[in-house]
Amino acid sequence: MPRRKFTPVAGLAVATLVSVLVVALGAAWWNRPGCYSGRNYERIEKGMTLEQVEALLGKPGEEVPDYEIPRGRPRGEPPDPTFGGDVPGSWCGGVWGDPVYRWWKTRPYVGAAQILVGVSGGRVISKYRVEHFP
């Protein structure tokens, strides 16, 4: 049987396929439930239980003392639109609830990010994401 030659086009096709596969697997890994990520922040919905949020973000959050809750939204942005209309009174903070829980992610040389979730009656009523840069 004659031996086939490896052509540059075939090599390029294989390299492209491998690259696409690596990118797809990386994106799936980064956005999986059970870890801190922007995608998992987007998955948090009003009415979820604290246990569902903890499963989504991969660990229990820490309860935030009232004096550490962010009191203003950057650039006058409204609260997360999926929770709009339920802001208590004249509240100008990014998150509200009793209690409020926080999940941190620290990134060397980049800063830190946190997700805050307000809970009332065992259900999510607000959420807020904050990025801290050095």
Side-chain angles (χ1 to χ4, degrees):
M1 182 189 289
R3 187 171 168 188
R4 290 187 173 172
K5 290 177 102 179
F6 184 74
T7 64
V9 173
L12 183 60
V14 169
T16 302
L17 181 63
V18 168
S19 298
V20 168
L21 185 62
V22 166
V23 169
L25 290 174
W29 175 260
W30 185 255
N31 292 313
R32 73 193 185 285
C35 70
Y36 183 105
S37 72
R39 178 65 185 116
N40 284 338
Y41 169 78
E42 293 170 5
R43 289 178 176 143
I44 298 170
E45 297 179 1
K46 183 178 177 180
M48 290 176 82
T49 65
L50 182 59
E51 292 76 23
Q52 289 172 314
V53 175
E54 290 172 345
L56 194 59
L57 297 176
K59 62 181 179 179
E62 63 175 323
E63 193 168 333
V64 182
D66 188 55
Y67 61 88
E68 289 185 18
I69 296 173
R71 296 293 180 204
R73 294 181 292 275
R75 298 177 304 280
E77 294 173 4
D80 189 295
T82 58
F83 294 87
D86 294 337
V87 181
S90 60
W91 179 252
C92 66
V95 65
W96 60 95
D98 187 23
V100 171
Y101 293 91
R102 168 175 49 208
W103 287 262
W104 282 98
K105 178 167 186 163
T106 312
R107 291 174 257 172
Y109 308 108
V110 175
Q114 61 179 317
I115 292 174
L116 295 123
V117 174
V119 177
S120 180
R123 301 280 179 179
V124 172
I125 60 169
S126 66
K127 68 179 182 176
Y128 190 58
R129 185 170 176 210
V130 182
E131 302 268 340
H132 301 278
F133 299 103

